[in-house]
Amino acid sequence: MAEAGKVTMEKIVSLCQRRGFIFQSSEIYGGLSACWDYGPLGIELKRNVKEAWWRANVQQRDDVVGLDTSILMHPDVWIASGHVKAFADPLVECKVCNLRYRADELTSKVCTSCGGELTEPQMFNLMFKTHSGPIESEDNVVYMRPETAQGMFVNFANVQNTTRKKLPFGIAQIGKSFRNEITTGNFIFRCREFEQMEIEFFVKPGTDEQWFEYWVNQRFNWYINHGIKKESLKLRPHDKEELAHYAKMCSDVNFLFPMGWGELEGIADRGSFDLTQHMEHSGKSLTYFDEETKQTFVPWVIEPSAGVDRSVLAFLCDAYAEEPDKDEIRTVLHLHPAIAPVKVAVLPLSKKEPLAELSRKIYADLRLNWACQYDDAQSIGRRYRRQDEIGTPLCVTIDFQSLEDKQVTIRERDSMAQIRVGISELADAIKDKLKR
Ligand code: GAP
């Protein structure tokens, strides 16, 4: 039984299933390991995370443009990027029960399930392989992309030529990635199908260290600006030995998940590795001509790479609280208004007319601007609880007095404070309260 007040993964999973945030993929068939479906509230939350990221990193910047590239790419892309050769984890197998483990994550020298002897580690490539077209042969092998990054590198010249952007500038993309992970688990923390939000920020050689620092700060603060507590986050610079095959420097933004600290995002200095590799393998130029110095060179790149699903999990875990409310305990998600799936709930005190008609009219007006829910079932106390549990920042209650004085009550999720406002000022009051 989970300890009262403590945030556990068990409680987060239970809330997500109960309220329709996240379901297991193919649940009626027993589920598919490490794949998840986002329900009606989950999709709103996930979209809000992606939109908040896009707003901060593309919409509000002059030096980053967006892109949406295909999941399947020419197989040579993955040879050039080094993924065919080096994107692998060490795999060991129990000789008795055949359970498989990632050797670098094992804390025991024998199988932790049956105590059996383990095989020597073998490198296991994490890319999903399939075939393009009707014939299954080695000639038409394609991979499901394991990162969105390569779509941006191979389009560097297309984007630069069409936008005429000068260095430094970035390309941003949000999309699905696939990894045949050996060990999965911790809910949506490590999946085989997941989404990434990545920026490839191209800079002049020699300016990379200053831009690396800039992006580490930007990205760390983005989580805080969207409501994550500072004490739930920390930066973890990588040691030289653990750097990915392409990276010169890397720092992770780590989050304190219920199972411990885990990587939320990695910010890497990839040097000129990727563009140089693609030039060599494709024979096409991916250089940049600097008008000021009249020099031609291969740009270097700083890459902030975040996981959408891990961010969703971090927002949920950080916002989750169990708090005293009169004689009971309320479960509440203190989500930032920009991230909350529903912004306003409209709650008429009675289903009877003319109160219902007035309430529906208010609901119809508010939903033009905000994601709203209309709930007229059960007691008002239970309805507040339901909205707290899904993180709705504001509830608007319409009572019989409203018919007389043309005023309604706004109830705030966090403080539970209630104020009365005129219906004609309601939209402005909501706009003001959702600002943070
Ligand atoms: N392009 C660089 C890159 O892909 P990464 O550290 O392998 O770097 C970046 O991945 C982010 O993608 C991680 O910080 C994490 O948030 C997310 N991610 C990676 N593998 C994942 C998985 N199996 N399930 C969920 N998210 C994952």
Side-chain angles (χ1 to χ4, degrees):
M1 185 69 189
E3 201 183 310
K6 194 168 182 278
V7 186
T8 62
M9 197 63 97
E10 207 182 358
K11 289 180 187 175
I12 299 292
V13 173
S14 157
L15 172 68
C16 284
Q17 284 174 343
R18 194 169 68 246
R19 298 308 310 272
F21 280 92
I22 299 166
F23 310 117
Q24 199 177 10
S25 161
S26 329
E27 195 183 285
I28 60 167
Y29 286 95
L32 179 67
S33 169
C35 295
W36 299 92
D37 296 341
Y38 285 78
L41 289 175
I43 182 62
E44 296 294 340
L45 175 61
K46 194 182 188 194
R47 273 167 44 111
N48 291 343
V49 169
K50 293 193 278 186
E51 275 166 24
W53 184 92
W54 195 266
R55 238 187 341 267
N57 294 301
V58 184
Q59 187 187 321
Q60 293 172 356
R61 298 187 66 107
D62 287 330
D63 57 357
V64 179
V65 292
L67 196 67
D68 182 24
T69 67
S70 63
I71 286 170
L72 302 177
M73 301 177 75
H74 194 290
D76 287 353
V77 167
W78 306 108
I79 295 170
S81 69
H83 283 80
V84 169
K85 208 166 160 195
F87 194 61
D89 281 335
L91 170 81
V92 291
E93 190 172 332
C94 172
K95 291 183 183 172
V96 181
C97 71
N98 300 111
L99 262 182
R100 291 172 166 196
Y101 300 95
R102 249 177 80 170
D104 55 338
E105 286 183 344
L106 267 183
T107 47
S108 159
K109 290 203 163 97
V110 290
C111 174
T112 50
S113 171
C114 75
E117 195 188 335
L118 299 171
T119 58
E120 284 300 308
Q122 274 188 336
M123 291 316 278
F124 172 77
N125 195 292
L126 300 185
M127 284 198 293
F128 279 99
K129 232 184 197 179
T130 186
H131 297 90
S132 177
I135 297 160
E136 284 192 22
S137 83
E138 273 308 302
D139 295 337
N140 60 6
V141 162
V142 285
Y143 299 95
M144 312 281 280
R145 69 177 175 201
E147 59 172 16
T148 64
Q150 298 305 323
M152 296 183 268
F153 292 127
V154 301
N155 275 295
F156 171 77
N158 282 339
V159 173
Q160 207 269 322
N161 291 339
T162 52
T163 62
R164 314 212 60 75
K165 287 275 174 209
K166 306 259 179 287
L167 290 186
F169 78 91
I171 307 178
Q173 167 158 234
I174 300 177
K176 289 258 179 170
S177 292
F178 302 82
R179 295 183 190 178
N180 200 0
E181 300 280 1
I182 298 169
T183 50
T184 56
N186 288 319
F187 196 28
I188 52 172
F189 179 82
R190 189 174 287 143
C191 325
R192 296 206 167 99
E193 174 177 343
F194 56 98
E195 263 184 286
Q196 291 185 308
M197 309 182 278
E198 298 197 293
I199 304 166
E200 304 307 329
F201 195 77
F202 300 97
V203 303
K204 290 186 189 176
T207 64
D208 54 314
E209 290 190 13
Q210 101 204 28
W211 281 110
F212 176 76
E213 206 137 291
Y214 168 87
W215 277 108
V216 168
N217 287 331
Q218 282 288 312
R219 295 301 308 139
F220 190 85
N221 288 331
W222 182 83
Y223 293 102
I224 292 170
N225 294 341
H226 289 87
I228 300 230
K229 297 188 258 322
K230 206 170 179 183
E231 60 271 22
S232 308
L233 293 170
K234 75 175 176 200
L235 287 173
R236 193 186 72 82
H238 281 212
D239 293 332
K240 279 260 173 296
E241 313 78 67
E242 59 173 325
L243 287 174
H245 64 273
Y246 49 73
K248 184 184 155 207
M249 269 194 303
C250 187
S251 201
D252 290 342
V253 178
N254 279 6
F255 175 79
L256 188 55
F257 289 100
M259 70 284 182
W261 289 98
E263 179 189 331
L264 197 51
E265 168 157 0
I267 298 106
D269 180 342
R270 292 176 80 126
S272 63
F273 176 85
D274 301 270
L275 290 183
T276 307
Q277 287 291 108
H278 287 306
M279 289 206 307
E280 277 172 18
H281 284 77
S282 69
K284 301 282 174 356
S285 171
L286 297 172
T287 56
Y288 175 82
F289 176 69
D290 188 345
E291 310 252 353
E292 273 173 36
T293 60
K294 308 287 176 217
Q295 281 179 329
T296 300
F297 54 84
V298 182
W300 284 32
V301 73
I302 307 300
E303 176 196 67
S305 171
V308 177
D309 311 78
R310 275 192 203 175
S311 298
V312 166
L313 185 58
F315 280 115
L316 283 171
C317 294
D318 206 60
Y320 186 94
E322 290 166 1
E323 297 171 352
D325 177 15
K326 297 193 186 95
D327 299 335
E328 293 181 19
I329 297 287
R330 68 166 182 156
T331 300
V332 53
L333 290 181
H334 292 289
L335 290 168
H336 187 285
I339 302 295
V342 178
K343 315 296 182 205
V344 186
V346 176
L347 314 175
L349 266 197
S350 159
K351 287 183 185 173
K352 291 199 182 120
E353 299 298 357
L355 198 69
E357 189 188 348
L358 173 64
S359 305
R360 278 196 302 269
K361 164 86 177 64
I362 290 173
Y363 174 58
D365 287 346
L366 294 181
R367 69 195 299 199
L368 294 175
N369 292 310
W370 296 285
C372 297
Q373 264 193 4
Y374 188 87
D375 187 2
D376 60 4
Q378 298 180 310
S379 75
I380 192 70
R382 290 182 83 145
R383 283 184 265 166
Y384 284 150
R385 286 279 162 76
R386 280 203 288 269
Q387 295 301 329
D388 288 344
E389 204 182 38
I390 63 167
T392 307
L394 301 172
C395 290
V396 172
T397 312
I398 300 120
D399 54 28
F400 290 103
Q401 184 71 23
S402 308
L403 295 167
E404 311 286 318
D405 64 7
K406 305 281 178 273
Q407 293 196 337
V408 294
T409 303
I410 300 181
R411 184 255 195 192
E412 291 181 8
R413 174 197 67 200
D414 295 347
S415 64
M416 294 191 273
Q418 304 195 2
I419 56 155
R420 246 6 235 165
V421 297
I423 295 171
S424 55
E425 287 97 52
L426 181 60
D428 284 342
I430 289 175
K431 195 169 165 199
D432 198 49
K433 284 185 178 298
L434 291 178
K435 240 190 253 158
R436 254 232 226 152

